[in-house]
Amino acid sequence: MNETATATVTAAGSKSQQAYEAVKARIVEGTYTPGYRLVLASLAKDLGFSVVPVREAIRRLEAEGLVKFERNVGATVAGIDPTEYLYTMQTLSIVEGAATALSAPLVGEADVARARAVNQKMRECLDHFDPVRFTQLNQDFHSVLFEHCPNPHILDLVHRGWNRLGSLRSSTFRFVPGRAHDSVDEHEALLQLIEAGADAATIEKAARLHRSATLDAYLAQAQPLP
Amino acid sequence: MNETATATVTAAGSKSQQAYEAVKARIVEGTYTPGYRLVLASLAKDLGFSVVPVREAIRRLEAEGLVKFERNVGATVAGIDPTEYLYTMQTLSIVEGAATALSAPLVGEADVARARAVNQKMRECLDHFDPVRFTQLNQDFHSVLFEHCPNPHILDLVHRGWNRLGSLRSSTFRFVPGRAHDSVDEHEALLQLIEAGADAATIEKAARLHRSATLDAYLAQAQPLP
DNA sequence: GCAATACTAATCGTATACGATTTCGTACTT
DNA sequence: AAGTACGAAATCGTATACGATTAGTATTGC
């Protein structure tokens, strides 16, 4: 059997949990593309489990918005129509902004240095532009900034938002390449705010606008998503 | 697809759904108090279903934070230690503030009038103070203000927050009676902001502070929760 | 008398089985 | 020929059954 390289090796005994993580991984990494039909029996046979744990896993993924479920019909990998993208990005702008602001006082020098290093890689990435790598680095960067958020509820909401966007992380910056440059600059500005111990409201506003700007750039592009 | 405020007519064919709603109702209305142990077999026998749909319902409630679940041990109605209360209120202050701001442009005169009527009842309620009724009216009031939020994700987060607080809605204002008076005044101020077509940021800030103030009042009280 | 261990009861986790519902293809009717 | 009605295949929903794990209790050894 093959394991996902990025997996945290949870090795959770529960098969529901295993199924959950397996399916989630396949969705996020793109093995199951949006619209893909998730048949319980097939998945169960594929994973070697019975349908019951798989079913539970699917319902959990539904709750997170990663799959769409229709009674007596089945589950499909949640699509990302532009409307959903807008909703998700808007929600993320709000909760991530808050998380970043709440996290800021707990971000130490080492964290800032790490974030800055990531941002530097992003800047280098601008030349021979690789959207996938860039978006991955982007997530790494922001993770450093909000991961210290002391409120686990908010942090969870942020993670869910990123997960939902994960399905199209390969394409986010592909559609708005011009945005990448500004993004890197805004990152540096954000770091300086944090270093300076800026007001929570200021940091929140900056973080939110940073995300909103990406959303706006996408909307301006008005390119239909796959 | 989604149930309106006037629930109870759902009668969703799925037994999972029925079980979900039944258990949720009993938690929110207080039949199952925090810490109550939810035994699958007992619930199933009680509801007349098998354990499988009940199990699914419990997991959904877990995802919403209404019950706590421990593997191979069982589920209990989620307690509300002060820490959790703080987290939930803080999260709610953020998402409800955003929802209210996004909703504001869509709130018509009729809505404002309705909200004001509710607030008037709350003011009358101040004399012979009934915490339960007051908190119910409070929810009604805010529902009018955020229910038009065009982003369903955010709206859903607001609903979840209110649900989590539902278990102690009978006690929220019981512990901070002095807060009730200020709350009514802030409601009126909020209505005037909306009527005047105030800036989204202004409305968001006001709505958030309104909730934060309740949280702060509670924290100042520093009374341990049941 | 106290503590550690073995045993029992309760409960959860998963598998298998069967009934219910939907969907799609085919044949028949107009 | 087109639309409708019927039927079969696929899939989901739920029930029942059994194995696995935990918690509580009694017993035994020191």
PDB file of all heavy atoms in Angstrom, chain B residues 121-123 125-126 129-139 173 179-181 183-184 187:
ATOM      1  N   LYS B 121     -39.689  45.009  23.304  1.00  0.00           N
ATOM      2  CA  LYS B 121     -40.098  43.947  24.241  1.00  0.00           C
ATOM      3  C   LYS B 121     -38.988  43.665  25.236  1.00  0.00           C
ATOM      4  O   LYS B 121     -39.233  43.420  26.414  1.00  0.00           O
ATOM      5  CB  LYS B 121     -40.425  42.667  23.466  1.00  0.00           C
ATOM      6  CG  LYS B 121     -41.798  42.671  22.803  1.00  0.00           C
ATOM      7  CD  LYS B 121     -42.085  41.302  22.195  1.00  0.00           C
ATOM      8  CE  LYS B 121     -43.258  41.360  21.224  1.00  0.00           C
ATOM      9  NZ  LYS B 121     -43.284  40.172  20.341  1.00  0.00           N
ATOM     10  N   MET B 122     -37.769  43.707  24.737  1.00  0.00           N
ATOM     11  CA  MET B 122     -36.637  43.459  25.636  1.00  0.00           C
ATOM     12  C   MET B 122     -36.568  44.545  26.700  1.00  0.00           C
ATOM     13  O   MET B 122     -36.306  44.271  27.871  1.00  0.00           O
ATOM     14  CB  MET B 122     -35.331  43.437  24.839  1.00  0.00           C
ATOM     15  CG  MET B 122     -35.222  42.254  23.901  1.00  0.00           C
ATOM     16  SD  MET B 122     -33.709  42.249  22.916  1.00  0.00           S
ATOM     17  CE  MET B 122     -32.516  41.690  24.111  1.00  0.00           C
ATOM     18  N   ARG B 123     -36.830  45.767  26.276  1.00  0.00           N
ATOM     19  CA  ARG B 123     -36.779  46.876  27.235  1.00  0.00           C
ATOM     20  C   ARG B 123     -37.853  46.714  28.296  1.00  0.00           C
ATOM     21  O   ARG B 123     -37.609  46.912  29.489  1.00  0.00           O
ATOM     22  CB  ARG B 123     -36.960  48.203  26.477  1.00  0.00           C
ATOM     23  CG  ARG B 123     -36.888  49.421  27.366  1.00  0.00           C
ATOM     24  CD  ARG B 123     -36.709  50.696  26.556  1.00  0.00           C
ATOM     25  NE  ARG B 123     -35.321  50.940  26.204  1.00  0.00           N
ATOM     26  CZ  ARG B 123     -34.891  51.232  24.982  1.00  0.00           C
ATOM     27  NH1 ARG B 123     -35.761  51.318  23.994  1.00  0.00           N
ATOM     28  NH2 ARG B 123     -33.618  51.451  24.760  1.00  0.00           N
ATOM     29  N   CYS B 125     -38.974  44.032  29.212  1.00  0.00           N
ATOM     30  CA  CYS B 125     -38.599  42.848  29.975  1.00  0.00           C
ATOM     31  C   CYS B 125     -37.622  43.195  31.102  1.00  0.00           C
ATOM     32  O   CYS B 125     -37.373  42.387  31.994  1.00  0.00           O
ATOM     33  CB  CYS B 125     -37.950  41.842  29.027  1.00  0.00           C
ATOM     34  SG  CYS B 125     -38.258  40.125  29.432  1.00  0.00           S
ATOM     35  N   LEU B 126     -37.037  44.386  31.031  1.00  0.00           N
ATOM     36  CA  LEU B 126     -36.005  44.733  31.992  1.00  0.00           C
ATOM     37  C   LEU B 126     -36.554  44.841  33.411  1.00  0.00           C
ATOM     38  O   LEU B 126     -35.841  44.547  34.377  1.00  0.00           O
ATOM     39  CB  LEU B 126     -35.352  46.066  31.589  1.00  0.00           C
ATOM     40  CG  LEU B 126     -34.386  46.001  30.400  1.00  0.00           C
ATOM     41  CD1 LEU B 126     -33.897  47.387  30.036  1.00  0.00           C
ATOM     42  CD2 LEU B 126     -33.218  45.095  30.733  1.00  0.00           C
ATOM     43  N   PHE B 129     -37.424  41.056  35.368  1.00  0.00           N
ATOM     44  CA  PHE B 129     -36.408  40.457  34.506  1.00  0.00           C
ATOM     45  C   PHE B 129     -36.527  38.932  34.439  1.00  0.00           C
ATOM     46  O   PHE B 129     -36.486  38.239  35.441  1.00  0.00           O
ATOM     47  CB  PHE B 129     -35.018  40.849  35.004  1.00  0.00           C
ATOM     48  CG  PHE B 129     -33.926  40.475  34.048  1.00  0.00           C
ATOM     49  CD1 PHE B 129     -33.940  40.979  32.753  1.00  0.00           C
ATOM     50  CD2 PHE B 129     -32.917  39.632  34.436  1.00  0.00           C
ATOM     51  CE1 PHE B 129     -32.933  40.645  31.872  1.00  0.00           C
ATOM     52  CE2 PHE B 129     -31.911  39.296  33.548  1.00  0.00           C
ATOM     53  CZ  PHE B 129     -31.918  39.798  32.265  1.00  0.00           C
ATOM     54  N   ASP B 130     -36.657  38.473  33.211  1.00  0.00           N
ATOM     55  CA  ASP B 130     -36.726  37.023  32.959  1.00  0.00           C
ATOM     56  C   ASP B 130     -35.582  36.655  32.015  1.00  0.00           C
ATOM     57  O   ASP B 130     -35.671  36.899  30.814  1.00  0.00           O
ATOM     58  CB  ASP B 130     -38.075  36.674  32.339  1.00  0.00           C
ATOM     59  CG  ASP B 130     -38.161  35.198  31.961  1.00  0.00           C
ATOM     60  OD1 ASP B 130     -37.168  34.472  32.168  1.00  0.00           O
ATOM     61  OD2 ASP B 130     -39.209  34.787  31.467  1.00  0.00           O
ATOM     62  N   PRO B 131     -34.514  36.116  32.547  1.00  0.00           N
ATOM     63  CA  PRO B 131     -33.319  35.874  31.718  1.00  0.00           C
ATOM     64  C   PRO B 131     -33.611  35.021  30.500  1.00  0.00           C
ATOM     65  O   PRO B 131     -33.097  35.287  29.408  1.00  0.00           O
ATOM     66  CB  PRO B 131     -32.372  35.149  32.674  1.00  0.00           C
ATOM     67  CG  PRO B 131     -32.852  35.468  34.034  1.00  0.00           C
ATOM     68  CD  PRO B 131     -34.327  35.657  33.922  1.00  0.00           C
ATOM     69  N   VAL B 132     -34.425  33.997  30.679  1.00  0.00           N
ATOM     70  CA  VAL B 132     -34.693  33.094  29.563  1.00  0.00           C
ATOM     71  C   VAL B 132     -35.372  33.843  28.430  1.00  0.00           C
ATOM     72  O   VAL B 132     -34.937  33.803  27.276  1.00  0.00           O
ATOM     73  CB  VAL B 132     -35.566  31.914  30.030  1.00  0.00           C
ATOM     74  CG1 VAL B 132     -35.880  31.010  28.843  1.00  0.00           C
ATOM     75  CG2 VAL B 132     -34.855  31.122  31.109  1.00  0.00           C
ATOM     76  N   ARG B 133     -36.448  34.525  28.762  1.00  0.00           N
ATOM     77  CA  ARG B 133     -37.179  35.270  27.743  1.00  0.00           C
ATOM     78  C   ARG B 133     -36.296  36.340  27.114  1.00  0.00           C
ATOM     79  O   ARG B 133     -36.290  36.526  25.898  1.00  0.00           O
ATOM     80  CB  ARG B 133     -38.421  35.919  28.378  1.00  0.00           C
ATOM     81  CG  ARG B 133     -39.207  36.799  27.418  1.00  0.00           C
ATOM     82  CD  ARG B 133     -40.590  37.121  27.970  1.00  0.00           C
ATOM     83  NE  ARG B 133     -41.193  38.270  27.287  1.00  0.00           N
ATOM     84  CZ  ARG B 133     -41.701  38.211  26.075  1.00  0.00           C
ATOM     85  NH1 ARG B 133     -41.664  37.081  25.416  1.00  0.00           N
ATOM     86  NH2 ARG B 133     -42.237  39.291  25.519  1.00  0.00           N
ATOM     87  N   PHE B 134     -35.543  37.001  27.957  1.00  0.00           N
ATOM     88  CA  PHE B 134     -34.683  38.074  27.459  1.00  0.00           C
ATOM     89  C   PHE B 134     -33.676  37.536  26.439  1.00  0.00           C
ATOM     90  O   PHE B 134     -33.481  38.106  25.359  1.00  0.00           O
ATOM     91  CB  PHE B 134     -33.940  38.730  28.625  1.00  0.00           C
ATOM     92  CG  PHE B 134     -33.235  39.996  28.250  1.00  0.00           C
ATOM     93  CD1 PHE B 134     -33.908  41.208  28.218  1.00  0.00           C
ATOM     94  CD2 PHE B 134     -31.888  39.976  27.907  1.00  0.00           C
ATOM     95  CE1 PHE B 134     -33.261  42.370  27.863  1.00  0.00           C
ATOM     96  CE2 PHE B 134     -31.232  41.143  27.543  1.00  0.00           C
ATOM     97  CZ  PHE B 134     -31.925  42.339  27.524  1.00  0.00           C
ATOM     98  N   THR B 135     -33.078  36.414  26.767  1.00  0.00           N
ATOM     99  CA  THR B 135     -32.072  35.861  25.865  1.00  0.00           C
ATOM    100  C   THR B 135     -32.717  35.371  24.581  1.00  0.00           C
ATOM    101  O   THR B 135     -32.135  35.478  23.492  1.00  0.00           O
ATOM    102  CB  THR B 135     -31.319  34.713  26.560  1.00  0.00           C
ATOM    103  OG1 THR B 135     -30.877  35.152  27.840  1.00  0.00           O
ATOM    104  CG2 THR B 135     -30.116  34.289  25.738  1.00  0.00           C
ATOM    105  N   GLN B 136     -33.919  34.860  24.682  1.00  0.00           N
ATOM    106  CA  GLN B 136     -34.636  34.430  23.485  1.00  0.00           C
ATOM    107  C   GLN B 136     -34.912  35.628  22.578  1.00  0.00           C
ATOM    108  O   GLN B 136     -34.683  35.583  21.367  1.00  0.00           O
ATOM    109  CB  GLN B 136     -35.949  33.749  23.884  1.00  0.00           C
ATOM    110  CG  GLN B 136     -36.785  33.310  22.685  1.00  0.00           C
ATOM    111  CD  GLN B 136     -36.031  32.310  21.810  1.00  0.00           C
ATOM    112  OE1 GLN B 136     -35.501  31.315  22.295  1.00  0.00           O
ATOM    113  NE2 GLN B 136     -35.945  32.592  20.519  1.00  0.00           N
ATOM    114  N   LEU B 137     -35.377  36.705  23.182  1.00  0.00           N
ATOM    115  CA  LEU B 137     -35.632  37.914  22.406  1.00  0.00           C
ATOM    116  C   LEU B 137     -34.336  38.431  21.784  1.00  0.00           C
ATOM    117  O   LEU B 137     -34.327  38.915  20.644  1.00  0.00           O
ATOM    118  CB  LEU B 137     -36.252  38.988  23.298  1.00  0.00           C
ATOM    119  CG  LEU B 137     -37.718  38.738  23.702  1.00  0.00           C
ATOM    120  CD1 LEU B 137     -38.145  39.730  24.775  1.00  0.00           C
ATOM    121  CD2 LEU B 137     -38.626  38.835  22.486  1.00  0.00           C
ATOM    122  N   ASN B 138     -33.268  38.316  22.555  1.00  0.00           N
ATOM    123  CA  ASN B 138     -31.975  38.764  22.054  1.00  0.00           C
ATOM    124  C   ASN B 138     -31.608  38.015  20.767  1.00  0.00           C
ATOM    125  O   ASN B 138     -31.151  38.609  19.786  1.00  0.00           O
ATOM    126  CB  ASN B 138     -30.913  38.529  23.132  1.00  0.00           C
ATOM    127  CG  ASN B 138     -29.585  39.148  22.762  1.00  0.00           C
ATOM    128  OD1 ASN B 138     -29.525  40.291  22.311  1.00  0.00           O
ATOM    129  ND2 ASN B 138     -28.524  38.380  22.930  1.00  0.00           N
ATOM    130  N   GLN B 139     -31.837  36.714  20.797  1.00  0.00           N
ATOM    131  CA  GLN B 139     -31.544  35.935  19.596  1.00  0.00           C
ATOM    132  C   GLN B 139     -32.441  36.362  18.435  1.00  0.00           C
ATOM    133  O   GLN B 139     -31.986  36.502  17.296  1.00  0.00           O
ATOM    134  CB  GLN B 139     -31.720  34.440  19.880  1.00  0.00           C
ATOM    135  CG  GLN B 139     -31.553  33.594  18.625  1.00  0.00           C
ATOM    136  CD  GLN B 139     -31.251  32.147  18.943  1.00  0.00           C
ATOM    137  OE1 GLN B 139     -31.218  31.741  20.091  1.00  0.00           O
ATOM    138  NE2 GLN B 139     -31.034  31.364  17.898  1.00  0.00           N
ATOM    139  N   PHE B 173     -27.767  35.715  30.441  1.00  0.00           N
ATOM    140  CA  PHE B 173     -28.013  37.016  31.045  1.00  0.00           C
ATOM    141  C   PHE B 173     -28.332  36.906  32.536  1.00  0.00           C
ATOM    142  O   PHE B 173     -28.376  37.907  33.236  1.00  0.00           O
ATOM    143  CB  PHE B 173     -29.161  37.730  30.322  1.00  0.00           C
ATOM    144  CG  PHE B 173     -28.711  38.430  29.080  1.00  0.00           C
ATOM    145  CD1 PHE B 173     -28.897  37.864  27.833  1.00  0.00           C
ATOM    146  CD2 PHE B 173     -28.066  39.657  29.164  1.00  0.00           C
ATOM    147  CE1 PHE B 173     -28.465  38.503  26.691  1.00  0.00           C
ATOM    148  CE2 PHE B 173     -27.624  40.298  28.021  1.00  0.00           C
ATOM    149  CZ  PHE B 173     -27.826  39.721  26.784  1.00  0.00           C
ATOM    150  N   ARG B 179     -25.783  43.762  32.457  1.00  0.00           N
ATOM    151  CA  ARG B 179     -25.445  43.926  31.053  1.00  0.00           C
ATOM    152  C   ARG B 179     -26.687  44.145  30.200  1.00  0.00           C
ATOM    153  O   ARG B 179     -26.616  44.733  29.118  1.00  0.00           O
ATOM    154  CB  ARG B 179     -24.686  42.668  30.600  1.00  0.00           C
ATOM    155  CG  ARG B 179     -24.483  42.526  29.131  1.00  0.00           C
ATOM    156  CD  ARG B 179     -23.429  43.476  28.615  1.00  0.00           C
ATOM    157  NE  ARG B 179     -23.386  43.424  27.170  1.00  0.00           N
ATOM    158  CZ  ARG B 179     -23.249  44.461  26.381  1.00  0.00           C
ATOM    159  NH1 ARG B 179     -23.126  45.669  26.900  1.00  0.00           N
ATOM    160  NH2 ARG B 179     -23.223  44.326  25.083  1.00  0.00           N
ATOM    161  N   ALA B 180     -27.816  43.667  30.665  1.00  0.00           N
ATOM    162  CA  ALA B 180     -29.037  43.688  29.854  1.00  0.00           C
ATOM    163  C   ALA B 180     -29.406  45.111  29.415  1.00  0.00           C
ATOM    164  O   ALA B 180     -29.755  45.345  28.257  1.00  0.00           O
ATOM    165  CB  ALA B 180     -30.192  43.060  30.629  1.00  0.00           C
ATOM    166  N   HIS B 181     -29.310  46.025  30.339  1.00  0.00           N
ATOM    167  CA  HIS B 181     -29.714  47.397  30.028  1.00  0.00           C
ATOM    168  C   HIS B 181     -28.848  47.988  28.926  1.00  0.00           C
ATOM    169  O   HIS B 181     -29.348  48.537  27.926  1.00  0.00           O
ATOM    170  CB  HIS B 181     -29.636  48.255  31.295  1.00  0.00           C
ATOM    171  CG  HIS B 181     -30.283  49.595  31.142  1.00  0.00           C
ATOM    172  ND1 HIS B 181     -29.653  50.650  30.542  1.00  0.00           N
ATOM    173  CD2 HIS B 181     -31.510  50.045  31.490  1.00  0.00           C
ATOM    174  CE1 HIS B 181     -30.452  51.696  30.529  1.00  0.00           C
ATOM    175  NE2 HIS B 181     -31.606  51.357  31.107  1.00  0.00           N
ATOM    176  N   SER B 183     -27.206  46.442  26.788  1.00  0.00           N
ATOM    177  CA  SER B 183     -27.417  45.680  25.566  1.00  0.00           C
ATOM    178  C   SER B 183     -28.558  46.272  24.745  1.00  0.00           C
ATOM    179  O   SER B 183     -28.442  46.444  23.530  1.00  0.00           O
ATOM    180  CB  SER B 183     -27.723  44.223  25.931  1.00  0.00           C
ATOM    181  OG  SER B 183     -27.687  43.409  24.796  1.00  0.00           O
ATOM    182  N   VAL B 184     -29.639  46.602  25.426  1.00  0.00           N
ATOM    183  CA  VAL B 184     -30.788  47.172  24.724  1.00  0.00           C
ATOM    184  C   VAL B 184     -30.407  48.490  24.061  1.00  0.00           C
ATOM    185  O   VAL B 184     -30.784  48.752  22.902  1.00  0.00           O
ATOM    186  CB  VAL B 184     -31.959  47.375  25.712  1.00  0.00           C
ATOM    187  CG1 VAL B 184     -33.074  48.159  25.055  1.00  0.00           C
ATOM    188  CG2 VAL B 184     -32.472  46.029  26.194  1.00  0.00           C
ATOM    189  N   HIS B 187     -28.394  47.917  21.004  1.00  0.00           N
ATOM    190  CA  HIS B 187     -29.241  47.450  19.905  1.00  0.00           C
ATOM    191  C   HIS B 187     -29.815  48.634  19.133  1.00  0.00           C
ATOM    192  O   HIS B 187     -29.821  48.657  17.903  1.00  0.00           O
ATOM    193  CB  HIS B 187     -30.389  46.597  20.459  1.00  0.00           C
ATOM    194  CG  HIS B 187     -29.966  45.223  20.881  1.00  0.00           C
ATOM    195  ND1 HIS B 187     -30.823  44.328  21.473  1.00  0.00           N
ATOM    196  CD2 HIS B 187     -28.768  44.602  20.783  1.00  0.00           C
ATOM    197  CE1 HIS B 187     -30.168  43.202  21.735  1.00  0.00           C
ATOM    198  NE2 HIS B 187     -28.921  43.353  21.325  1.00  0.00           N
TER     199      HIS B 187
END
